[in-house]
Amino acid sequence: MTKPPLPTRAGCIVVGAGLAGAAAAYGLARRGFSEVLVLEREAVAGVHASGRNAAMAFSFIFEPVIRALARRGRAFLASPPEDFPLPMTNRWTGSVALGSGPGAARLEALAAAMRAEGIGVEEWSREELRARLPVYEPRLGEKAFYCPDDGVVDVDALLQGYLRALRRKGGQVRFRCEALSLISEGGQVSGLVTSEGPVRTEHVVLAGGPWANELAKEAGLGPLPLGPHRRHLGLVVDGHAPPDPAWPLCWHLTEGFYFRPESGGLLVSACDEEAMEPADVGTDPVQVERLARRVTAFLPGASGARIRRVWAGLRTLTPDQQFVLGPDPRLGGLHWAAGLGGHGVTTSAAVGEVFAELFTGGSPDFLDASVLSPARFFI
């Protein structure tokens, strides 16, 4: 089938159809921007980070601003607005956060802060943790806190819902179309060169995840400190003792290990963070072996388990662990929606809302958006 010609003009072009870009475009469309064009160089949305995550809505986040975004994003996931076109089969099984050593006191302080913000959190004893998660054997000195509002998200429906809603509001999504270079005149964006020709626009949003810096570098602006880091995930199965799908997801924040029920087994990660160049990353045998050892150490109740499959994806991090949202102070009409650092599933709806507010010159009333501004890197 022949593709229709690319529009020669757009009110705003969003580069990247992952969770950050799709949510930003959806946020703009909800504000009445009907001429939004999303460009994605892959054949489908969510090929990279947005499609290779653990699909978890998780509230135990130490950074207050990111936690505020997660709280608002979680509310969207639980009750999407009427204009959201796809049902999501989310599973609200709750989450358990663990802390040990100095991390136990830090987790206690986080739980207290969450309660003060209205997030339901309760402490679990060792006996309760063992009863609710029999695959895990609690250690002496560990603290465990449970949040019933968390769970597993239907990421595909979330991502496709953003894009379908955008189209219904007059926006367009173009796959297999690569953004090549910015066009600017007098310190203002005036267009974008793509693999299918130039498009005139006064606004470009860099939302390409690990590749978000590429257009800025090509334009001579210099990259922002966005660091892609590889993380491995695996599916562990035990034919003798399949997990209960109602188990909560569990994350040991001190030791860096999480697991949750998935497809008759357990989805696991050792939370590795290896700095990488932007790429379609594969797996590292050293990290696969490390993951296997961590499964044995942390899940004694799954002694007969074996790793059926392992995959890897890139998480894009910033030095201060905050997102990058809003206008670039160096070039008028250039905007960022990047650096979500693995929190995209939980926060994306709020990211789109905040991005649209900043795009229109406003300021969100539930957080200090200056913490997220690209301008913080140039002060």
Side-chain angles (χ1 to χ4, degrees):
M1 178 182 293
T2 302
K3 290 197 296 186
L6 193 68
T8 58
R9 176 164 182 81
C12 176
I13 300 177
V14 178
V15 181
L19 284 168
Y26 172 64
L28 290 174
R30 296 198 82 205
R31 288 296 191 94
F33 284 83
S34 60
E35 294 184 346
V36 178
L37 172 63
V38 176
L39 300 183
E40 172 56 58
R41 68 181 181 182
E42 303 292 352
V44 295
V47 169
H48 299 288
S50 295
R52 303 184 189 184
N53 55 65
M56 299 189 303
F58 190 67
S59 298
F60 291 94
I61 299 170
F62 288 105
E63 296 79 14
V65 170
I66 308 305
R67 193 166 65 247
L69 288 165
R71 186 166 64 251
R72 205 167 182 94
R74 164 65 182 77
F76 178 100
L77 293 168
S79 182
E82 291 184 358
D83 68 354
F84 195 78
L86 291 178
M88 288 183 281
T89 55
N90 304 324
R91 294 187 285 115
W92 302 116
T93 56
S95 71
V96 177
L98 302 174
S100 59
R106 191 176 182 219
L107 177 57
E108 280 191 296
L110 172 59
M114 292 168 64
R115 290 192 188 104
E117 295 163 356
I119 303 172
V121 180
E122 61 184 75
E123 185 170 1
W124 276 5
S125 66
R126 293 183 69 198
E127 292 72 26
E128 189 163 15
L129 179 59
R130 187 182 292 113
R132 297 287 294 272
L133 277 174
V135 73
Y136 184 79
E137 178 58 36
R139 294 155 170 79
L140 287 173
E142 280 183 338
K143 289 286 185 177
F145 290 89
Y146 172 71
C147 177
D149 295 335
D150 292 344
V152 182
V153 176
D154 185 346
V155 176
D156 184 64
L158 177 64
L159 180 56
Q160 298 302 328
Y162 289 145
L163 298 175
R164 185 175 297 185
L166 170 69
R167 293 188 185 99
R168 288 183 176 180
K169 294 177 182 295
Q172 297 185 55
V173 183
R174 188 72 162 213
F175 294 105
R176 296 192 179 94
C177 184
E178 186 171 0
L180 301 176
S181 61
L182 292 166
I183 304 170
S184 63
E185 300 170 3
Q188 168 68 45
V189 168
S190 59
L192 184 68
V193 178
T194 81
S195 56
E196 297 183 28
V199 183
R200 304 296 293 183
T201 186
E202 295 180 352
H203 297 281
V204 170
V205 183
L206 303 181
W211 292 271
N213 265 319
E214 298 305 307
L215 286 175
K217 290 192 294 186
E218 192 279 335
L221 295 177
L224 297 190
L226 296 168
H229 289 70
R230 178 167 60 180
R231 172 162 292 182
H232 289 72
L233 296 92
L235 181 64
V236 172
V237 295
D238 182 352
H240 301 292
D244 185 340
W247 284 352
L249 61 96
C250 183
W251 197 321
H252 202 304
L253 298 177
T254 306
E255 297 291 339
F257 182 82
Y258 64 71
F259 64 93
R260 68 164 179 82
E262 173 64 31
S263 303
L266 292 172
L267 185 150
V268 297
S269 176
C271 299
D272 50 309
E273 289 184 2
E274 179 186 2
M276 304 281 290
E277 290 299 315
D280 185 6
V281 295
T283 58
D284 178 356
V286 173
Q287 291 297 336
V288 174
E289 176 59 31
R290 175 176 177 266
L291 178 59
R293 293 196 304 269
R294 300 277 276 180
V295 169
T296 300
F298 278 90
L299 303 177
S303 57
R306 59 184 177 83
I307 296 181
R308 174 183 290 172
R309 184 167 70 95
V310 180
W311 64 97
L314 293 179
R315 301 160 67 249
T316 305
L317 309 175
T318 61
D320 58 9
Q321 303 299 307
Q322 308 289 351
F323 300 172
V324 183
L325 293 179
D328 191 308
R330 302 168 295 175
L331 181 61
L334 183 65
H335 310 261
W336 294 80
L340 303 193
H343 296 294
V345 172
T346 315
T347 68
S348 62
V351 164
E353 179 185 355
V354 170
F355 178 85
E357 183 73 28
L358 298 172
F359 186 93
T360 56
S363 179
D365 59 7
F366 67 97
L367 53 76
D368 177 8
S370 67
V371 174
L372 310 172
S373 172
R376 72 187 190 268
F377 299 118
F378 307 104
I379 296 174

